[in-house]
Amino acid sequence: MSNEPTGFEEKRNSLRVDMEAERILLHWINAEGESQEDYGVCIDLARKGILIDYKQAFALGDLIAITFNHNTEKQNTIKGQVCRCCEANPQSFHIALQLL
């Protein structure tokens, strides 16, 4: 008889987010007032903020809705406000958001 656990019992009530370059759906309103959606990558998530990678810059103060596990039973959306945006390389930007 082994002392190894046979299963995993979840003790948290909240959903878990796998943080290995998680693909996320971004939703925002552009400067012309049009609704926009596109996919980005979640780099890091904390209680008060999130760091994402996206192909274009956002302005400080922009509001963005971020959906994890889009179109699945585990779908979860959070909202944040851009507090930092810097170019990571010529094709992507690192965008830090304060969660609201």
Side-chain angles (χ1 to χ4, degrees), residues 25-74:
L25 178 66
L26 306 175
H27 180 91
W28 70 98
I29 306 296
N30 68 15
E32 292 78 34
E34 301 167 336
S35 180
Q36 302 284 301
E37 277 190 351
D38 198 5
Y39 288 95
V41 174
C42 178
I43 298 172
D44 193 19
L45 177 64
R47 287 183 183 191
K48 295 186 179 184
I50 184 169
L51 179 64
I52 64 172
D53 185 79
Y54 187 61
K55 62 186 175 186
Q56 73 182 39
F58 284 95
L60 293 180
D62 280 354
L63 299 174
I64 303 174
I66 301 148
T67 303
F68 296 91
N69 302 310
H70 182 61
N71 284 338
T72 71
E73 64 184 34
K74 294 180 181 180

